[in-house]
Amino acid sequence: MEEKPRRLGGGQSRCPCCGLLQDRVATLQQDWGLLEPGMNPLAHTVPAEYRWIELSDGRVTVYGVCPPDQFQRCRIEHRLACPAQPLPDLWRWLTSLRGENARKVEQRDDPKPPPPSEEWPDAG
């Protein structure tokens, strides 16, 4: 067999709590982080212990440097934005993100509206 051994790759998976997608990203510690997709806030707006920085090789690590560069972007764990997990109000923008994710879950679960009827009812 000349094939290289296959390694588990990143990708996305559904959160078992809310059902929304979360990014599965390798960390420097040979583990996986489950991060909020499409969310890259400025690092100085996120407390150091919650700040994940993407490295050039695609892995992530917690970035505790304070204060970070004013233009540095970071990632956050999905569990912080998950609308199904009770968390304190850590940051105002995070509360907004959790609310938006809750709306996504509701929209996904709501049945589709019935198709419009062919005729309009007589409204007088």
Side-chain angles (χ1 to χ4, degrees):
M1 295 191 77
E2 295 182 23
E3 248 182 75
K4 292 181 183 178
R6 290 191 296 163
R7 295 176 49 185
L8 290 175
Q12 290 188 319
S13 62
R14 294 231 175 252
C15 173
C17 298
C18 70
L20 294 176
L21 290 174
Q22 51 190 356
D23 289 341
R24 185 173 184 248
V25 184
T27 70
L28 282 180
Q29 294 75 26
Q30 311 301 320
D31 202 358
W32 297 100
L34 298 173
L35 306 180
E36 180 68 11
M39 176 49 88
N40 297 84
L42 289 168
H44 71 272
T45 65
V46 178
E49 63 271 16
Y50 298 105
R51 195 183 298 145
W52 289 85
I53 300 297
E54 290 180 302
L55 304 173
S56 60
D57 64 1
R59 294 181 296 169
V60 294
T61 188
V62 173
Y63 188 66
V65 174
C66 285
D69 179 281
Q70 64 178 343
F71 301 109
Q72 176 73 52
R73 295 278 178 178
C74 69
R75 303 279 309 266
I76 61 167
E77 291 179 82
H78 170 74
R79 71 180 179 84
L80 296 175
C82 180
Q85 296 188 40
L87 289 175
D89 185 11
L90 299 173
W91 319 290
R92 198 173 323 151
W93 63 262
L94 183 59
T95 300
S96 296
L97 177 61
R98 288 171 59 88
E100 181 61 29
N101 281 347
R103 282 187 288 282
K104 286 179 186 177
V105 169
E106 288 172 11
Q107 289 172 353
R108 194 185 71 212
D109 293 341
D110 283 346
K112 293 186 179 181
S117 63
E118 294 296 322
E119 294 180 29
W120 289 96
D122 185 12

